[in-house]
């Protein structure tokens, strides 16, 4: 076991525990803005679909029910502008983190193969490369990378942690560059529904991919847009030549979404009203927290989309974490996401309205 665990970095969130204790000691309790975990109720129509499918004694299929595949293909067509999407272009997954962590292994990557991801990024991209014993590296612009041996390129727009959105033209050029060098491109688009000052575009849009899905796959999650983090529900859409072999591997590994969850996803993807209602909640919290942080002396960078504010006081991120913990507010240090974040903190919008109001009052 140690041979596998020794490949991995220390779990970053463990370092936050002392600051969590400090924040929790505040007389009015902690305001936890460190982890982007939804706190609002699961919409009733999704709960009902889950309950109605609760009598599911048989094994679910890895590829999902036809109804689920129909719902995914309809959603990427309606919401992302994708064209000519069939069941062969989609694949349900057990939450997006599972996919990110195990994708390099499932692709057969190993020593000598290279995986690249943004300089400021979700730590699991690195973990996935390490689990496969592949080499990993970060980039500011992927087109500056040496394409030799680069087997997997991760994009993340909108970004976690910065909220940065890649413009359509830049996405188009990156897709063309990856194809020209035979590099598989996976685009993590889990925050695409949460654009505030920008309108995020998917790599599945024909203006970006030229009407072809060759060599590209998009990753989408229902955790944030539908408050389904507890359901572990996500999916892939893109190149059938990539998804077909992944489906076979995942069949052997038993990586299947539960049948009640599949039914819940059908309901979630078939309704846009609850998504808009949740967006409005997050928009109000974002406005309140942003104004309070700026008034407190913070500068906000990027943050034009996603569920986070990328904030700095031009000091060590751990000094900022400590300062806010003394106010009973817990945030994530920017160096969790790469050395380039060492003067930033990530402030999540995922707290109740009451807790956001408490944070705003403490920052005033």
């Amino acid at each position: 076991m140690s041979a596998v665990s020794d490949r991995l970095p220390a779990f970053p969130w463990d370092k936050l525990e002392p600051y969590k204790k400090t924040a929790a000691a505040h007389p009015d309790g902690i305001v936890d803005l460190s982890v982007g975990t939804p706190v609002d109720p699961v919409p009733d129509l999704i709960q009902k679909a889950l309950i109605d499918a609760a009598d599911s004694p048989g094994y679910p299929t890895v590829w999902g029910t036809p109804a689920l595949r129909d719902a995914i293909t309809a959603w990427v067509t309606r919401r992302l502008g994708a064209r000519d999407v069939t069941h062969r272009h989609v694949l349900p997954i057990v939450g997006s983190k599972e996919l990110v962590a195990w994708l390099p292994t499932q692709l057969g990557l190993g020593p000598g193969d290279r995986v690249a991801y943004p300089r400021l990024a979700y730590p699991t991209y690195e973990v996935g490369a390490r689990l496969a014993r592949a080499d990993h590296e970060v980039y500011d612009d992927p087109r500056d990378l040496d394409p030799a041996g680069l087997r997997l390129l991760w994009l993340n727009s909108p970004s976690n942690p910065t909220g940065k959105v890649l413009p359509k033209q830049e996405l188009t050029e990156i897709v063309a560059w990856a194809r020209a060098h035979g590099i598989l491109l996976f685009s993590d688009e889990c925050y695409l529904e949460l654009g505030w000052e920008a309108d995020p575009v998917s790599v599945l849009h024909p203006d970006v991919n030229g009407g072809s899905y060759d060599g590209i796959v998009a990753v989408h999650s229902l955790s944030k847009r539908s408050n389904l983090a507890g359901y572990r529900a996500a999916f892939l859409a893109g190149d059938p030549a990539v998804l077909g072999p992944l489906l076979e591997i995942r069949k052997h590994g038993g990586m299947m979404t539960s049948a009640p969850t599949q039914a819940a996803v059908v309901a979630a993807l078939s309704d846009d009203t609850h998504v808009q209602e949740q967006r409005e909640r997050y928009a109000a919290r974002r406005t309140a927290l942003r104004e309070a942080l700026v008034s407190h002396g913070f500068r906000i960078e990027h943050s034009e989309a996603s569920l986070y504010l990328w904030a700095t006081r031009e000091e060590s991120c751990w000094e900022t974490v400590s300062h806010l913990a003394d106010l009973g507010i817990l945030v994530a240090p920017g160096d969790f996401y790469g050395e380039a974040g060492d003067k930033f903190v990530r402030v999540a919008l995922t707290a109740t309205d009451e807790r956001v109001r408490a944070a705003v009052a403490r920052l005033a």
Side-chain angles (χ1 to χ4, degrees):
M1 287 301 296
S2 63
V4 176
S5 62
D6 288 349
R7 297 180 214 158
L8 305 180
F11 189 63
W13 295 95
D14 292 342
K15 295 169 62 178
L16 207 53
E17 281 302 314
Y19 302 93
K20 186 174 185 178
K21 290 179 181 178
T22 298
H26 190 279
D28 185 39
I30 189 172
V31 179
D32 192 343
L33 307 178
S34 64
V35 182
T37 186
V39 297
D40 299 302
V42 174
D44 289 342
L45 81 161
I46 300 175
Q47 292 192 47
K48 183 178 186 304
L50 184 85
I51 293 167
D52 289 347
D55 186 14
S56 298
Y59 289 112
T61 64
V62 174
W63 201 16
T65 62
L68 175 58
R69 282 176 264 142
D70 282 344
I72 295 172
T73 56
W75 184 84
V76 299
T77 300
R78 181 180 78 250
R79 179 63 184 86
L80 306 183
R83 297 177 184 165
D84 302 320
V85 180
T86 71
H87 286 194
R88 294 175 56 249
H89 292 89
V90 301
L91 178 63
I93 53 177
V94 191
S96 57
K97 184 171 185 176
E98 169 262 305
L99 184 280
V100 173
W102 292 107
L103 179 64
T105 298
Q106 292 175 10
L107 291 173
L109 305 191
D113 296 322
R114 292 163 52 227
V115 176
Y117 47 86
R119 187 172 302 280
L120 284 166
Y122 188 46
T124 312
Y125 302 128
E126 177 185 342
V127 167
R130 287 178 176 270
L131 285 170
R133 294 192 177 94
D135 298 327
H136 55 90
E137 60 188 286
V138 298
Y139 64 78
D140 294 308
D141 185 330
R143 294 165 291 183
D144 294 333
L145 294 167
D146 179 358
L150 182 57
R151 299 286 305 282
L152 174 61
L153 173 63
W154 279 107
L155 301 184
N156 180 209
S157 176
S159 162
N160 174 14
T162 70
K164 182 179 180 181
V165 174
L166 293 175
K168 182 189 290 186
Q169 183 59 37
E170 188 172 347
L171 274 177
T172 303
E173 293 172 2
I174 292 170
V175 167
W177 179 86
R179 283 176 171 164
H181 294 288
I183 299 165
L184 177 60
L185 187 155
F186 264 68
S187 180
D188 183 344
E189 303 174 352
C190 290
Y191 295 91
L192 187 137
E193 296 268 37
L194 297 165
W196 311 114
E197 297 159 4
D199 188 12
V201 180
S202 172
V203 296
L204 301 179
H205 195 287
D207 288 353
V208 173
N209 61 41
S212 167
Y213 302 113
D214 290 349
I216 58 172
V217 177
V219 184
H220 283 270
S221 168
L222 285 86
S223 293
K224 308 302 194 297
R225 47 99 67 194
S226 297
N227 298 334
L228 293 191
Y231 284 44
R232 309 315 302 133
F235 61 88
L236 305 178
D239 191 346
V242 177
L243 300 188
L246 283 180
L247 172 59
E248 294 307 312
I249 292 166
R250 296 171 70 82
K251 284 180 181 178
H252 283 290
M255 293 178 168
M256 58 189 78
T257 305
S258 75
T261 296
Q262 291 188 31
V265 171
V266 172
L269 291 178
S270 302
D271 176 74
D272 295 328
T273 301
H274 77 277
V275 181
Q276 183 59 36
E277 291 171 350
Q278 189 59 44
R279 273 181 54 86
E280 291 169 1
R281 294 186 189 105
Y282 284 136
R285 292 166 188 167
R286 177 180 181 273
T287 297
L289 285 170
R290 185 181 186 117
E291 292 177 354
L293 288 166
V294 170
S295 296
H296 196 75
F298 281 88
R299 176 171 57 84
I300 309 297
E301 267 197 14
H302 302 303
S303 307
E304 59 256 35
S306 84
L307 279 182
Y308 312 105
L309 294 169
W310 189 237
T312 181
R313 299 204 310 171
E314 306 295 347
E315 64 185 5
S316 162
C317 59
W318 288 101
E319 288 182 36
T320 306
V321 168
S322 178
H323 168 72
L324 292 174
D326 288 340
L327 299 177
I329 302 169
L330 189 67
V331 298
D335 65 4
F336 277 9
Y337 308 95
E339 293 179 3
D342 64 354
K343 287 186 173 11
F344 287 80
V345 293
R346 193 195 73 169
V347 183
L349 309 179
T350 48
T352 64
D353 293 340
E354 183 275 329
R355 289 288 82 187
V356 168
R357 287 193 295 270
V360 169
R362 296 174 195 182
L363 289 166

